Amino acid sequence: MDTSVKNVIVEKAKTSKIDQVDFNNLSFGSIVTDHMMVCDYKDGAWETPKVVPYQPITLDPSSKIFHYGQSVFEGMKAYKDTDNNVWLFRPLENQKRLNISSKRLAIPEIPEAYFMEGLKALLKVDQQWIPQTEGSSLYIRPFVFATGKGFHASPANEYKFIIACAPSGPYFSGKVKVLIEEKYSRSANGGVGFAKAGGNYAGQFYPTQLAVAKGYNQVIWTDDNSHEYIEEAGAMNIFIRINDTLITSPTSDRILDGITRKSLIELAKDEGINVEVRKITVKEVVEASKNGTLMEMFGAGTAAVISPISAFGFQEKDYELPELDKSYAALLKKRITDIQYNRAEDKFGWRYKL
């Protein structure tokens, strides 16, 4: 199969809505740009990607996305530096992970050229939408879903790959208070927890609502079997600092291989921070809080980058995290965002210039 892309088809919008946007007061992911990239899978092959005006899509009620949940997505960002250069952060990692997710849900994998050339064509058309306000960026959402029709429980024969973008401010403002989950599970061994499947997130909403009703912002997920081990923080990977050691759970069938996560591990090691990738129990975290050695907890992901945790709840009791003048969270967030916004040297080769 020819996996190269000769020409991405571009159909520009007749008018732009960019003048209606206050770029100094951006919420996260609620305003979309003028265009989107669309690529259809039919007759056993991906068709030529197209950049078209952002618009609704029409689907048959029997489209399999509605019935069997074949849907995966990615989250990434575009940044603009002070010289108006546009940068991506490790985009090929997103492309690879999208295919890992797709394979697990029996969705046809997308060739690298289709992903990258379609994305670049979209960003070229909508590059004026990339904000330069401090802390803001253009959030990019690639996603694939089943459009093939029929009620038979089987993989679809047709799919749609879309990339849509939203100029966005910070995902969270301030620190978050979390509840360690003791009943519900985000994922299980042999399941799809490692994939960015839409259903993974749908299954999180109800337990999170229960936690919010108790005064928490998010849930800390524990393992599906014993609920003894810390796994993820809401929709993010989690880091825990005990004394001067930074600990994060190893990836598995249940835990997403976060691009921000593995970047932070490299940056922490580069800073001389002792990093341990290992299982960590709830008991160990509670004991560390009680004896004063628990210094920090924070979530890590594309949307929030790093989200410091101010307190966690467990078995009807809250445990406060100390306020630090020089936290690992602040240090690592500055390191990674300085690379992303082209404010510092990129010794790792993570930046991708458009």
Side-chain angles (χ1 to χ4, degrees), residues 91-117:
L92 293 179
E93 292 294 324
N94 292 100
Q95 185 267 333
K96 291 174 186 173
R97 192 172 63 183
L98 185 66
N99 280 341
I100 289 170
S101 299
S102 294
K103 186 175 181 178
R104 180 62 181 84
L105 271 73
I107 296 171
E109 295 176 40
I110 297 164
E112 180 183 309
Y114 282 58
F115 184 98
M116 290 304 299
E117 294 307 314

Side-chain angles (χ1 to χ4, degrees), residues 24-41:
N24 292 314
N25 292 286
L26 291 169
S27 58
F28 187 88
S30 59
I31 299 166
V32 294
T33 64
D34 290 324
H35 300 86
M36 62 185 189
M37 194 286 297
V38 179
C39 185
D40 289 306
Y41 181 90

Side-chain angles (χ1 to χ4, degrees), residues 270-290:
D270 191 60
E271 288 287 341
I273 295 170
N274 183 41
V275 180
E276 293 181 2
V277 179
R278 64 169 174 86
K279 290 184 174 183
I280 181 167
T281 63
V282 176
K283 182 179 179 181
E284 183 179 355
V285 175
V286 170
E287 286 301 315
S289 180
K290 288 179 177 178

Side-chain angles (χ1 to χ4, degrees), residues 52-351:
V52 299
Y54 189 92
Q55 59 194 275
I57 54 178
T58 302
L59 293 173
D60 189 285
S62 71
S63 295
K64 294 201 174 187
I65 176 57
F66 299 132
H67 309 280
Y68 305 114
Q70 276 185 288
S71 173
V72 296
F73 70 95
E74 272 299 318
M76 51 197 303
K77 290 178 178 178
Y79 310 85
K80 191 177 281 186
D81 66 21
T82 53
D83 295 323
N84 270 335
N85 296 309
V86 177
W87 302 89
L88 297 171
F89 183 75
R90 309 187 75 175
L92 293 179
E93 292 294 324
N94 292 100
Q95 185 267 333
K96 291 174 186 173
R97 192 172 63 183
L98 185 66
N99 280 341
I100 289 170
S101 299
S102 294
K103 186 175 181 178
R104 180 62 181 84
L105 271 73
I107 296 171
E109 295 176 40
I110 297 164
E112 180 183 309
Y114 282 58
F115 184 98
M116 290 304 299
E117 294 307 314
L119 175 59
K120 287 191 284 187
L122 174 61
L123 293 179
K124 183 177 180 181
V125 173
D126 276 346
Q127 62 179 307
Q128 294 303 313
W129 284 85
I130 305 173
Q132 285 183 292
T133 313
E134 181 64 32
S136 298
S137 57
L138 185 71
Y139 185 75
I140 302 167
R141 172 54 61 86
F143 58 107
V144 191
F145 58 94
T147 55
K149 299 184 287 293
F151 296 132
H152 187 268
S154 60
N157 59 357
E158 295 183 357
Y159 298 84
K160 192 176 287 288
F161 169 38
I162 294 177
I163 304 178
C165 302
S168 297
Y171 190 75
F172 288 118
S173 56
K175 295 187 176 183
V176 298
K177 185 180 178 182
V178 299
L179 177 66
I180 294 178
E181 183 56 56
E182 299 177 68
K183 177 181 178 181
Y184 296 99
S185 298
R186 194 192 79 89
S187 57
N189 287 330
V192 296
F194 67 91
K196 284 189 76 71
N200 286 349
Y201 296 80
Q204 293 186 36
F205 294 155
Y206 177 66
T208 302
Q209 284 180 337
L210 296 179
V212 169
K214 293 179 179 179
Y216 300 91
N217 304 103
Q218 272 292 353
V219 165
I220 294 290
W221 299 105
T222 50
D223 69 286
D224 63 305
N225 185 30
S226 65
H227 294 288
E228 293 178 28
Y229 294 95
I230 298 285
E231 297 214 323
E232 290 198 346
M236 297 180 286
N237 296 117
I238 187 167
F239 286 82
I240 297 166
R241 176 184 172 186
I242 296 178
N243 287 319
D244 290 332
T245 297
L246 198 58
I247 307 163
T248 192
S249 303
T251 55
S252 66
D253 284 352
R254 303 184 306 275
I255 297 176
L256 186 73
D257 184 13
I259 296 164
T260 303
R261 170 191 175 276
K262 56 189 172 188
S263 302
L264 292 178
I265 290 171
E266 289 298 308
L267 289 169
K269 290 178 178 177
D270 191 60
E271 288 287 341
I273 295 170
N274 183 41
V275 180
E276 293 181 2
V277 179
R278 64 169 174 86
K279 290 184 174 183
I280 181 167
T281 63
V282 176
K283 182 179 179 181
E284 183 179 355
V285 175
V286 170
E287 286 301 315
S289 180
K290 288 179 177 178
N291 65 33
T293 58
L294 179 64
M295 308 306 293
E296 295 180 69
M297 295 172 65
F298 54 87
T302 298
V305 186
I306 286 178
S307 182
I309 293 168
S310 61
F312 70 89
F314 179 64
Q315 294 184 343
E316 306 300 324
K317 184 177 179 180
D318 285 348
Y319 298 83
E320 300 289 330
L321 275 293
E323 290 278 350
L324 302 180
D325 292 331
K326 295 182 178 180
S327 68
Y328 287 173
L331 170 66
L332 294 174
K333 185 171 184 177
K334 185 176 189 308
R335 280 291 308 270
I336 196 169
T337 54
D338 280 352
I339 292 172
Q340 290 168 337
Y341 287 92
N342 193 32
R343 295 190 293 246
E345 177 193 3
D346 176 20
K347 64 169 71 174
F348 305 97
W350 291 337
R351 269 197 305 261

